[in-house]
mmCIF file of all heavy atoms in Angstrom:
data_model
loop_
_atom_site.group_PDB
_atom_site.id
_atom_site.type_symbol
_atom_site.label_atom_id
_atom_site.label_comp_id
_atom_site.label_asym_id
_atom_site.label_seq_id
_atom_site.Cartn_x
_atom_site.Cartn_y
_atom_site.Cartn_z
ATOM 1 N N GLU V 251 -2.767 21.568 -2.126
ATOM 2 C CA GLU V 251 -2.382 22.769 -2.791
ATOM 3 C C GLU V 251 -2.867 22.717 -4.290
ATOM 4 O O GLU V 251 -3.464 23.691 -4.779
ATOM 5 C CB GLU V 251 -0.904 22.968 -2.711
ATOM 6 C CG GLU V 251 -0.494 24.425 -2.819
ATOM 7 C CD GLU V 251 0.931 24.697 -2.398
ATOM 8 O OE1 GLU V 251 1.438 23.977 -1.545
ATOM 9 O OE2 GLU V 251 1.563 25.559 -2.965
ATOM 10 N N LEU V 277 -13.915 24.963 -22.177
ATOM 11 C CA LEU V 277 -14.381 23.636 -21.845
ATOM 12 C C LEU V 277 -13.237 22.642 -21.653
ATOM 13 O O LEU V 277 -13.280 21.850 -20.735
ATOM 14 C CB LEU V 277 -15.346 23.119 -22.972
ATOM 15 C CG LEU V 277 -16.823 23.224 -22.697
ATOM 16 C CD1 LEU V 277 -17.600 22.850 -23.901
ATOM 17 C CD2 LEU V 277 -17.210 22.342 -21.542
ATOM 18 N N THR V 298 -14.927 9.683 -2.688
ATOM 19 C CA THR V 298 -16.059 10.546 -2.842
ATOM 20 C C THR V 298 -15.701 11.616 -3.911
ATOM 21 O O THR V 298 -16.504 11.924 -4.794
ATOM 22 C CB THR V 298 -16.458 11.219 -1.502
ATOM 23 O OG1 THR V 298 -16.412 10.230 -0.512
ATOM 24 C CG2 THR V 298 -17.854 11.793 -1.636
ATOM 25 N N ALA V 363 -26.982 13.978 -17.940
ATOM 26 C CA ALA V 363 -26.303 13.261 -19.035
ATOM 27 C C ALA V 363 -27.381 12.449 -19.849
ATOM 28 O O ALA V 363 -27.301 12.402 -21.089
ATOM 29 C CB ALA V 363 -25.228 12.325 -18.484
ATOM 30 N N LYS V 374 -19.707 1.319 -26.412
ATOM 31 C CA LYS V 374 -19.197 0.356 -25.362
ATOM 32 C C LYS V 374 -18.083 -0.398 -25.968
ATOM 33 O O LYS V 374 -18.065 -0.840 -27.106
ATOM 34 C CB LYS V 374 -20.381 -0.533 -24.914
ATOM 35 C CG LYS V 374 -21.299 0.143 -23.992
ATOM 36 C CD LYS V 374 -21.832 -0.757 -22.951
ATOM 37 C CE LYS V 374 -21.056 -1.322 -21.885
ATOM 38 N NZ LYS V 374 -21.830 -2.075 -20.925
ATOM 39 N N GLU V 410 0.612 -8.134 -31.257
ATOM 40 C CA GLU V 410 -0.408 -7.106 -31.003
ATOM 41 C C GLU V 410 -1.058 -7.447 -29.684
ATOM 42 O O GLU V 410 -1.573 -8.552 -29.486
ATOM 43 C CB GLU V 410 -1.451 -7.051 -32.085
ATOM 44 C CG GLU V 410 -2.495 -5.980 -31.815
ATOM 45 C CD GLU V 410 -3.747 -6.049 -32.725
ATOM 46 O OE1 GLU V 410 -3.629 -6.659 -33.782
ATOM 47 O OE2 GLU V 410 -4.745 -5.510 -32.296
ATOM 48 N N LEU V 415 -10.163 -2.139 -20.570
ATOM 49 C CA LEU V 415 -10.239 -1.677 -19.187
ATOM 50 C C LEU V 415 -11.597 -2.066 -18.599
ATOM 51 O O LEU V 415 -12.599 -2.205 -19.301
ATOM 52 C CB LEU V 415 -9.993 -0.191 -19.101
ATOM 53 C CG LEU V 415 -8.706 0.354 -19.737
ATOM 54 C CD1 LEU V 415 -8.645 1.875 -19.641
ATOM 55 C CD2 LEU V 415 -7.548 -0.220 -18.941
ATOM 56 N N ARG V 425 -3.904 3.977 -16.357
ATOM 57 C CA ARG V 425 -3.789 2.540 -16.653
ATOM 58 C C ARG V 425 -3.076 2.281 -17.959
ATOM 59 O O ARG V 425 -2.206 1.426 -18.064
ATOM 60 C CB ARG V 425 -5.237 1.976 -16.728
ATOM 61 C CG ARG V 425 -6.020 2.064 -15.409
ATOM 62 C CD ARG V 425 -5.416 1.195 -14.311
ATOM 63 N NE ARG V 425 -5.968 1.683 -13.031
ATOM 64 C CZ ARG V 425 -5.211 2.058 -12.003
ATOM 65 N NH1 ARG V 425 -3.864 2.030 -12.139
ATOM 66 N NH2 ARG V 425 -5.771 2.443 -10.887
ATOM 67 N N ILE V 436 9.483 -5.606 -20.787
ATOM 68 C CA ILE V 436 9.750 -6.908 -21.353
ATOM 69 C C ILE V 436 9.930 -6.872 -22.905
ATOM 70 O O ILE V 436 10.034 -7.882 -23.510
ATOM 71 C CB ILE V 436 8.642 -7.938 -20.961
ATOM 72 C CG1 ILE V 436 7.230 -7.399 -21.365
ATOM 73 C CG2 ILE V 436 8.724 -8.336 -19.509
ATOM 74 C CD1 ILE V 436 6.187 -8.491 -21.165
ATOM 75 N N LYS V 533 9.486 20.881 -17.212
ATOM 76 C CA LYS V 533 9.322 22.029 -16.251
ATOM 77 C C LYS V 533 10.049 21.805 -14.979
ATOM 78 O O LYS V 533 10.120 22.653 -14.106
ATOM 79 C CB LYS V 533 7.854 22.321 -15.904
ATOM 80 C CG LYS V 533 7.163 23.111 -16.960
ATOM 81 C CD LYS V 533 5.864 23.662 -16.392
ATOM 82 C CE LYS V 533 5.183 24.656 -17.354
ATOM 83 N NZ LYS V 533 3.950 25.111 -16.841
ATOM 84 N N GLU V 563 29.563 47.696 10.837
ATOM 85 C CA GLU V 563 29.807 49.070 10.305
ATOM 86 C C GLU V 563 30.222 50.003 11.497
ATOM 87 O O GLU V 563 31.107 50.766 11.392
ATOM 88 C CB GLU V 563 28.518 49.578 9.644
ATOM 89 C CG GLU V 563 28.387 49.165 8.181
ATOM 90 C CD GLU V 563 27.031 49.567 7.616
ATOM 91 O OE1 GLU V 563 26.224 50.132 8.357
ATOM 92 O OE2 GLU V 563 26.825 49.295 6.412
ATOM 93 N N ILE V 565 31.530 49.118 14.401
ATOM 94 C CA ILE V 565 32.836 48.817 14.928
ATOM 95 C C ILE V 565 33.880 49.418 14.045
ATOM 96 O O ILE V 565 34.893 49.988 14.480
ATOM 97 C CB ILE V 565 33.018 47.230 15.021
ATOM 98 C CG1 ILE V 565 32.026 46.696 16.078
ATOM 99 C CG2 ILE V 565 34.457 46.856 15.356
ATOM 100 C CD1 ILE V 565 32.012 45.180 16.053
ATOM 101 N N THR V 586 22.258 43.268 0.469
ATOM 102 C CA THR V 586 21.192 44.002 -0.159
ATOM 103 C C THR V 586 20.588 43.163 -1.327
ATOM 104 O O THR V 586 19.421 43.005 -1.466
ATOM 105 C CB THR V 586 21.671 45.379 -0.756
ATOM 106 O OG1 THR V 586 22.298 46.063 0.314
ATOM 107 C CG2 THR V 586 20.537 46.178 -1.301
ATOM 108 N N VAL V 752 -12.459 46.062 8.611
ATOM 109 C CA VAL V 752 -11.633 46.252 7.400
ATOM 110 C C VAL V 752 -10.476 47.189 7.742
ATOM 111 O O VAL V 752 -9.326 46.898 7.412
ATOM 112 C CB VAL V 752 -12.464 46.856 6.242
ATOM 113 C CG1 VAL V 752 -11.591 47.284 5.086
ATOM 114 C CG2 VAL V 752 -13.506 45.799 5.735
ATOM 115 N N ILE V 756 -6.433 46.230 7.819
ATOM 116 C CA ILE V 756 -5.527 46.895 6.902
ATOM 117 C C ILE V 756 -4.395 47.606 7.741
ATOM 118 O O ILE V 756 -3.253 47.562 7.366
ATOM 119 C CB ILE V 756 -6.214 47.979 6.011
ATOM 120 C CG1 ILE V 756 -7.313 47.298 5.182
ATOM 121 C CG2 ILE V 756 -5.262 48.735 5.129
ATOM 122 C CD1 ILE V 756 -6.860 46.356 4.080
ATOM 123 N N PRO V 780 1.969 48.244 2.385
ATOM 124 C CA PRO V 780 3.394 48.210 2.203
ATOM 125 C C PRO V 780 3.715 46.962 1.297
ATOM 126 O O PRO V 780 3.048 45.929 1.434
ATOM 127 C CB PRO V 780 3.976 48.075 3.535
ATOM 128 C CG PRO V 780 2.894 47.449 4.373
ATOM 129 C CD PRO V 780 1.617 47.953 3.786
ATOM 130 N N LEU V 874 18.180 63.991 15.300
ATOM 131 C CA LEU V 874 18.085 63.037 14.203
ATOM 132 C C LEU V 874 19.362 62.214 14.209
ATOM 133 O O LEU V 874 20.453 62.822 14.128
ATOM 134 C CB LEU V 874 17.903 63.798 12.865
ATOM 135 C CG LEU V 874 16.782 64.787 12.841
ATOM 136 C CD1 LEU V 874 16.787 65.511 11.458
ATOM 137 C CD2 LEU V 874 15.463 64.122 12.995
ATOM 138 N N LEU V 910 7.716 53.554 15.055
ATOM 139 C CA LEU V 910 6.482 54.279 15.203
ATOM 140 C C LEU V 910 5.501 54.027 14.146
ATOM 141 O O LEU V 910 5.829 53.864 12.985
ATOM 142 C CB LEU V 910 6.835 55.825 15.200
ATOM 143 C CG LEU V 910 7.760 56.296 16.289
ATOM 144 C CD1 LEU V 910 8.055 57.809 16.135
ATOM 145 C CD2 LEU V 910 7.225 56.012 17.697
#
Side-chain angles (χ1 to χ4, degrees):
E251 204 165 329
L277 258 172
T298 317
K374 282 213 69 175
E410 179 192 340
L415 301 177
R425 297 294 162 237
I436 53 173
K533 277 194 172 180
E563 275 172 359
I565 294 169
T586 306
V752 169
I756 301 294
L874 306 177
L910 299 177

